[in-house]
Amino acid sequence: MVKSAEPASSVAALRVPQKVVLSESTYDVLRAAILDGTLPPGTRIVEEALARQLGVSRAPLREAIWLLKRDGLLVEESARTTRVVQLTEDDVHELHMIRTVLETLAYQQASPRLRPSDVAGLEDLIDQMHDASVAGDARRIAELDYRFHRALCEPCGLPRVMKAWDEQHVLFRMWLNMVGPTLGVQDIAEPHRVLLDVVLAGDAEAISEQVIDHVYLVGGVMSDQRRRWAAQQPRLCFPQSAGDA
């Protein structure tokens, strides 16, 4: 059986669709279970029991486990023990720093490239955030938050930066999902509107400051540490490429 901080029944409902039993499907199911807390931090992964619960053979499960290790969601304690990652305070500090650097760079480069259709899509996501907040739908708010930040980064034209952002944001989202219940439902629409306005204005220094405020100071979890980290965060101003000058 899967040993975890939760009763075994908490993962009993995990099933991979039988029509397409592939490593990718197994990966998707396990990744979602880790990110939403169905498989809590520290859960030990026992392949035989988990394969039986998921209804898959060991081969696709092992490939999915390898992919989750690559994502940093599973860690190998020894040759025979794999667990869901448990983030330390130092890990969370580093994730905030990485996210701030990547988003500062991405937004500064994206600013002159944003098209009216991009802006309209971002404004629609902000409106949906407000509606989800009124409805008290915390899961929907988290999804919209992810979609907004990715959509604002994407026009930057820097595929390697986007790849790094995707990779680190998996763990950042895991942390947000872990601490989300302590925040309750918050209307995060307005801070995202402020961030969008600053990016549209195009001032590189203002973008750097606003990203720091947004990443570190929106939400109250670990507020003392995050204020300290924000004060220590390097202020970054990346020049635009010659073609955009």
Side-chain angles (χ1 to χ4, degrees):
M1 63 178 293
V2 176
K3 298 178 183 177
S4 73
E6 298 289 330
S9 59
S10 67
V11 296
L14 292 177
R15 300 290 295 178
V16 174
Q18 292 301 304
K19 290 184 179 178
V20 186
V21 181
L22 300 171
S23 58
E24 291 87 350
S25 300
T26 307
Y27 165 78
D28 289 342
V29 169
L30 289 176
R31 182 177 183 274
I34 293 170
L35 290 179
D36 69 17
T38 303
L39 288 173
T43 298
R44 185 181 176 193
I45 302 300
V46 181
E47 288 187 13
E48 183 177 357
L50 192 54
R52 185 167 57 251
Q53 289 174 341
L54 293 170
V56 300
S57 68
R58 299 281 284 276
L61 176 60
R62 283 174 177 166
E63 173 135 2
I65 288 172
W66 181 85
L67 292 170
L68 291 164
K69 288 178 181 177
R70 178 202 63 184
D71 291 346
L73 293 174
L74 294 180
V75 293
E76 207 171 84
E77 288 186 349
S78 69
R80 302 185 63 180
T81 304
T82 296
R83 295 185 186 275
V84 177
V85 66
Q86 293 179 288
L87 298 175
T88 66
E89 184 176 317
D90 285 345
D91 293 331
V92 175
H93 183 191
E94 184 178 12
L95 288 171
H96 279 75
M97 186 180 298
I98 293 170
R99 180 182 174 187
T100 302
V101 169
L102 291 174
E103 291 193 7
T104 296
L105 170 58
Y107 298 158
Q108 288 173 350
Q109 297 299 308
S111 178
R113 296 178 169 89
L114 285 167
R115 300 166 300 180
S117 59
D118 297 324
V119 177
L122 289 160
E123 290 175 340
D124 180 61
L125 288 171
I126 292 171
D127 290 340
Q128 291 183 59
M129 286 180 199
H130 175 70
D131 293 343
S133 300
V134 171
D137 191 342
R139 187 180 294 270
R140 176 70 171 155
I141 293 169
E143 174 198 347
L144 291 166
D145 176 78
Y146 168 76
R147 287 173 56 191
F148 174 91
H149 286 283
R150 199 180 195 291
L152 189 54
C153 285
E154 200 162 20
C156 71
L158 302 170
R160 293 176 183 82
V161 169
M162 288 305 303
K163 184 175 184 293
W165 186 90
D166 283 331
E167 289 172 351
Q168 69 82 32
H169 211 71
V170 171
L171 289 174
F172 200 91
R173 285 177 66 200
M174 180 184 181
W175 177 74
L176 288 174
N177 288 336
M178 285 166 51
V179 301
T182 66
L183 288 172
V185 176
Q186 295 184 314
D187 189 347
I188 59 172
E190 187 56 30
H192 286 81
R193 195 177 304 280
V194 170
L195 178 61
L196 177 58
D197 288 345
V198 170
V199 173
L200 289 173
D203 183 285
E205 291 184 11
I207 290 171
S208 177
E209 289 295 335
Q210 188 57 44
V211 172
I212 290 170
D213 284 351
H214 191 92
V215 172
Y216 286 104
L217 304 181
V218 173
V221 175
M222 300 174 67
S223 56
D224 290 341
Q225 295 97 317
R226 291 169 72 186
R227 278 195 294 270
R228 185 175 73 250
W229 297 343
Q232 297 168 349
Q233 176 71 35
R235 271 53 180 173
L236 304 172
C237 183
F238 297 96
Q240 296 177 7
S241 60
D244 298 313

